[in-house]
Amino acid sequence: GDMLFNGIKTHKEAAAVVEAAKILCQPLSKADAVKVWQTVLLHCPAAADVALYNLASRATAEQSLKFYSELAARYPTSVYAPEASWWLLLDKIVKGKNNDALKEAKQYADKYASAKAAARFYFWSGKLQERLKQNEAAKTTYQQTIKLFPSSYYAYRAAARLNALRGGKDRGWSTD
């Protein structure tokens, strides 16, 4: 463990540092894993996005938003940026900031069009449009979600919401 920890402090090659940190964290408590990722953040700037993501995933809800915000702002092209952006968006949704959330969801859908999270951003744009009583716009957004991400969970949910907006039912999570 000490050798890996010291290696994190002295080696600057991001891939090796990240791999060492992941291995080192496996048997550790959350608090000790946080120390490892704080060390990565401090000593290996090339792996800062990975460190911020790992710190966010181990932090309290409020603290995680600070890490996700820094990650999204400082490393917008990181593979972790779409997921960080999702958590920032979800916070706005939960707080009922629907207009702001809709604007951001649309921006993220465009910005991260090729990311795994893109379908989620499209679907939630439609959900937010529904919340804002923009049902025609929601129908269009749901149709786009289905067209662009036909095999995704969000296409399935978009089809159900589209059905509901057209007078049918959205069984959601119903099992009957």
Side-chain angles (χ1 to χ4, degrees):
D2 286 342
M3 197 164 84
L4 283 174
F5 200 76
N6 289 332
I8 288 171
K9 291 179 181 178
T10 57
H11 294 285
K12 302 301 178 208
E13 185 189 331
V17 168
V18 167
E19 197 54 40
K22 286 179 180 178
I23 292 167
L24 191 56
C25 287
Q26 285 174 356
L28 298 180
S29 67
K30 187 192 307 190
D32 287 337
V34 164
K35 289 176 189 171
V36 170
W37 289 110
Q38 286 171 333
T39 302
V40 172
L41 187 60
L42 186 64
H43 293 281
C44 188
D49 62 330
V50 185
L52 288 166
Y53 186 79
N54 276 278
L55 288 167
S57 67
R58 290 169 171 85
T60 63
E62 189 178 319
Q63 186 64 40
S64 72
L65 294 174
K66 293 175 185 171
F67 290 122
Y68 287 135
S69 185
E70 183 178 351
L71 195 168
R74 289 180 55 200
Y75 308 98
T77 60
S78 165
V79 296
Y80 298 96
E83 195 65 21
S85 298
W86 163 249
W87 289 107
L88 297 170
L89 177 66
L90 184 60
D91 181 61
K92 284 185 176 66
I93 293 169
V94 168
K95 290 177 178 168
K97 298 178 180 177
N98 294 328
N99 285 306
D100 290 343
L102 176 57
K103 183 179 170 191
E104 286 187 22
K106 287 178 175 181
Q107 289 171 347
Y108 296 150
D110 290 339
K111 185 175 185 176
Y112 302 119
S114 62
K116 183 180 175 187
R120 191 183 319 154
F121 292 130
Y122 270 89
F123 173 76
W124 274 94
S125 293
K127 287 276 288 188
L128 290 160
Q129 287 164 330
E130 275 193 81
R131 286 184 182 181
L132 294 166
K133 308 292 186 231
Q134 301 171 6
N135 289 351
E136 290 309 309
K139 288 177 187 176
T140 301
T141 301
Y142 289 142
Q143 288 167 337
Q144 283 181 300
T145 306
I146 295 163
K147 180 181 174 189
L148 294 170
F149 311 99
S151 61
S152 76
Y153 164 79
Y154 294 100
Y156 163 77
R157 290 297 303 130
R161 292 307 314 139
L162 200 51
N163 191 41
L165 286 171
R166 291 176 175 157
K169 290 193 191 258
D170 173 1
R171 292 177 103 46
W173 290 100
S174 174
T175 57
D176 49 44

